[in-house]
């Protein structure tokens, strides 16, 4: 059988149904605001994290040794990753994909227009491991090349267009033929910025620029992003045995900072949602004070016939809890519907909606709604329980 | 507290019997902006177990203050009030609450039933306060029946009952925890003559069953039911 004080609270809520309902609507709005804002933030974070994770599975390795030229005034250049270091890296990386990269800057001429950009030397088989071709195909012939999207747009390149590589005033410049065009890649976190670049087969590159056994960069693409730290340590231990000869980087720091920023944004929008709960709390407080003031005489009866103060407090806290519960349950249901619509409209992707990080905002919002109600009811309940029974009985 | 109790017991043994209620030089002073108002002025009084006492007096004589003191809704400003051997001034708030619940049954002029509870629940309520769970013994129903309340009406809310029925429920509520003292404040004040007599017969019956009944009234006819009348005037006992 139920607690009689709970029954009394239920009956009081029922007696003042409209007023209680309106106060609960405040909580409904608060719960919906917190839950949907939270879910929106969580879905945004999860979706961005997923997008960025595709990039952050790459470890970038470059030489840590700077070659000082013996000729005075000549610029110092990086020595590059040597063939033996590359083999060590490959051993340490295990089954993960290891891609050696050559890179330099060059001038070129397309038709009669001169340009400037990066030129990458990659094994044709490696290209497909981390790049997609938008138009055409990977280099098949020795003089084939793929070009970045900006370059293709700016110079109206199509498959078959020929590009002369080297400064415009040199004679007998080598020519490559465009076999494929890459999609826009933006600022790539794996250090291979292809948008303004020409990618040629590694053999072509080393024939032109030398450095056959020295690479400008080596990328390791790990299969499981969570093992990136372990792979980095393995490479470091293997290659940087005596002194640091290679520098190992990854983009996970960037991912962390972006997710942290998104986390801050989520907290901010949650705080905005929280404001509506504060407003709801004021309305619950108001309704509870009304309930106490209307029932002064009844409180007087309860206290005079031996009801403990704690029991009177309990009765009013139950009432606040009931208002909170109604608000939280309705709010929880509305949150699912509204949250789903908001996430679907603003992010366009509801894949992560039912994941714990996102959906847990609904019970969290509900609990916060109930707690807010109970906290709002504390003072009215305290006031009721501390009434003087004689004064309370006298008020009719 | 123990010392007090021992003193009381010693006093009691000298008198041959312990008074159920003892007021020794009790005063109640209200501090008002216009100055102090003495509602009870050095009142000393014993009420023995199984007495039927009427407290009478004109308006403003201190009847209500006396009732509040006897019902331990309030404590004396000075003097000693002991109920059932316990000095009220020395009790904690919670102990006084428990004494109101267990030792005293209240019957008010305006019934003072809890409007949100049914007749049956109003009677069951003190049992719940005492035993912390709903009544499974059937005691509430039995007491309600014993005061002549129509069983079919027990699910009705107080607002659906007549004055006489409400007062029967109120008496049942006062009785259900088997208190030693029944404290009545103008119990027939809101009832017609005939119902008033029925209610007074009921109270007289309770006295016969061993309860101590204290009645506050200004109605001489009602006071005649009591075996002793205490006259109050200007906060003092002027006749007993």
């Amino acid at each position: 059988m139920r607690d009689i004080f709970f029954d009394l609270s239920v009956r009081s809520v029922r007696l003042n149904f409209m007023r209680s309902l309106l106060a609960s609507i405040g909580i409904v709005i608060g719960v919906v605001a917190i839950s949907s804002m939270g879910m929106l933030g969580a879905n945004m974070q999860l979706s961005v994290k997923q997008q960025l994770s595709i990039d952050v599975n790459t470890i970038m390795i470059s030489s840590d040794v700077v070659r000082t030229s013996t000729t005075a005034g000549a610029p110092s250049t990086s020595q590059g990753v040597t063939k033996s270091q590359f083999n060590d890296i490959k051993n340490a990386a295990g089954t993960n994909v290891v891609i050696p990269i050559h890179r330099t800057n060059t001038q070129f001429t397309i038709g009669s227009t001169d340009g400037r950009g990066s030129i990458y030397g990659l094994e044709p088989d490696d290209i497909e491991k981390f790049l997609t071709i938008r138009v055409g195909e990977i280099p098949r012939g020795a003089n084939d090349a793929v070009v970045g999207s900006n370059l293709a747009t700016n110079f109206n390149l199509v498959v078959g267009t020929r590009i002369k590589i080297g400064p415009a005033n040199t004679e007998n410049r080598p020519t490559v033929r465009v076999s494929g065009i890459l999609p826009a890649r933006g600022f790539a976190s794996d250090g291979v910025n292809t948008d303004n670049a020409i990618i040629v087969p590694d053999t072509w590159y080393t024939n032109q620029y030398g450095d056959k056994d020295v690479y400008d960069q080596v990328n390791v693409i790990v299969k499981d992003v969570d093992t990136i730290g372990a792979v980095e340590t393995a490479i470091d231990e293997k290659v940087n045995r005596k002194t640091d000869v290679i520098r190992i980087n990854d983009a996970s720091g960037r991912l962390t900072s972006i997710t942290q920023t998104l986390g801050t944004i989520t907290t901010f929008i949650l705080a905005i949602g929280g404001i509506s709960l504060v407003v709801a709390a004021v309305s619950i407080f108001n309704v509870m004070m009304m309930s106490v003031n209307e029932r002064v005489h009844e409180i007087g009866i309860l206290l005079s016939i031996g009801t403990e103060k704690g029991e009177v407090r309990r009765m009013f806290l139950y009432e606040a809890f009931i208002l909170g519960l109604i608000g939280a349950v309705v709010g929880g249901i509305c949150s699912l519907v509204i949250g789903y619509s908001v996430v679907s409209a603003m992010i366009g992707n509801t894949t992560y909606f039912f994941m714990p990080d996102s959906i847990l905002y609904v019970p969290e919002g509900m609990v916060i709604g109930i707690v807010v109600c109970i906290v709002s009811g504390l003072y009215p309940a305290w006031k009721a329980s501390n009434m003087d029974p004689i004064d309370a009985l006298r008020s009719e | 507290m123990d010392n007090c109790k021992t003193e009381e017991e010693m006093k009691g043994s000298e008198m041959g019997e312990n008074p159920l209620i003892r007021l020794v030089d009790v005063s109640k002073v209200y501090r008002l902006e216009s100055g102090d108002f003495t509602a009870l002025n050095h009142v000393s009084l014993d009420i023995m177990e199984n007495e039927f006492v009427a407290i009478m007096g004109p308006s403003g004589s201190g009847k209500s203050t006396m009732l509040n003191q006897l019902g331990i809704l309030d404590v004396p400003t000075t003097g000693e009030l002991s109920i059932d051997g316990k000095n009220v001034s020395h009790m904690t708030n919670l102990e006084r609450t428990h004494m109101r619940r267990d030792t005293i049954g209240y019957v008010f002029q305006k019934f003072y039933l809890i409007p949100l509870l049914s007749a049956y629940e109003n009677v069951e309520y003190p049992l719940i306060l005492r035993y912390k769970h709903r009544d499974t013994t059937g005691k509430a129903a039995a007491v309600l029946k014993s005061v002549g309340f129509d069983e079919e009406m027990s699910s009705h809310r107080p607002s659906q009952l007549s004055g006489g029925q409400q007062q029967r429920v109120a008496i049942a509520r006062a009785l259900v925890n088997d208190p030693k003292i029944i404290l009545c404040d103008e119990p027939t004040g809101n009832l017609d003559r005939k119902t008033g007599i029925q209610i007074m017969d009921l109270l007289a019956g309770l006295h016969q069953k061993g309860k101590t009944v204290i009645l506050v009234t200004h109605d001489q006819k009602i006071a005649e039911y009591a075996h002793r009348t205490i006259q109050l005037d200007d906060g003092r006992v002027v006749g007993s």
Side-chain angles (χ1 to χ4, degrees), chain A residues 105-314:
Chain A
N105 290 323
T106 184
Q107 286 173 275
F108 54 81
T109 307
I110 297 159
S112 55
T113 319
D114 295 333
R116 195 173 176 82
S118 304
I119 183 159
Y120 284 92
L122 286 167
E123 290 296 341
D125 290 346
D126 285 345
I127 292 176
E128 277 182 321
K129 288 176 184 163
F130 69 106
L131 296 173
T132 47
I133 310 281
R134 183 164 60 89
V135 181
E137 54 177 18
I138 58 163
R140 299 282 178 207
N143 294 325
D144 281 354
V146 288
V147 291
S149 64
N150 281 357
L151 207 64
T153 313
N154 294 342
F155 292 91
N156 297 319
L157 301 182
V158 290
V159 173
T161 311
R162 290 180 188 276
I163 306 172
K164 287 180 184 164
I165 307 288
N169 52 7
T170 31
E171 286 178 13
N172 297 326
R173 283 189 290 172
T175 302
V176 292
R177 173 191 160 272
V178 175
S179 70
I181 297 166
L182 298 167
R185 204 157 183 254
F187 180 76
S189 57
D190 58 6
V192 182
N193 298 308
T194 60
D195 287 358
N196 283 310
I198 301 164
I199 296 154
V200 294
D202 203 45
T203 335
W204 191 96
Y205 185 98
T206 46
N207 281 343
Q208 291 301 319
Y209 300 103
D211 272 348
K212 194 173 186 316
D213 293 331
V214 182
Y215 302 104
D216 293 289
Q217 184 180 329
V218 175
N219 278 6
V220 179
I221 302 169
V222 292
K223 287 171 188 159
D224 178 1
V225 78
D226 293 333
T227 63
I228 196 161
V231 175
E232 282 175 12
T233 312
I235 295 170
D236 189 49
E237 282 171 3
K238 184 95 180 165
V239 187
N240 290 335
R241 260 171 308 196
K242 292 172 192 159
T243 51
D244 282 358
V245 289
I246 56 164
R247 189 182 297 152
I248 304 163
N249 290 311
D250 67 59
S252 61
R254 196 165 66 116
L255 176 69
T256 312
S257 87
I258 287 175
T259 44
Q260 269 172 0
T261 310
L262 282 175
T264 314
I265 294 170
T266 307
T267 312
F268 177 70
I269 55 177
L270 268 181
I272 293 173
I275 292 171
S276 62
L277 260 187
V278 173
V279 176
V282 173
S283 109
I284 293 287
F285 179 80
N286 190 27
V287 162
M288 290 304 299
M289 285 306 281
M290 282 164 77
S291 181
V292 169
N293 289 334
E294 279 170 10
R295 292 166 74 189
V296 170
H297 185 246
E298 188 186 331
I299 295 164
I301 300 171
L302 297 179
L303 288 170
S304 66
I305 61 171
T307 310
E308 292 170 21
K309 284 181 175 193
E311 289 165 330
V312 173
R313 264 199 300 275
R314 198 164 87 214

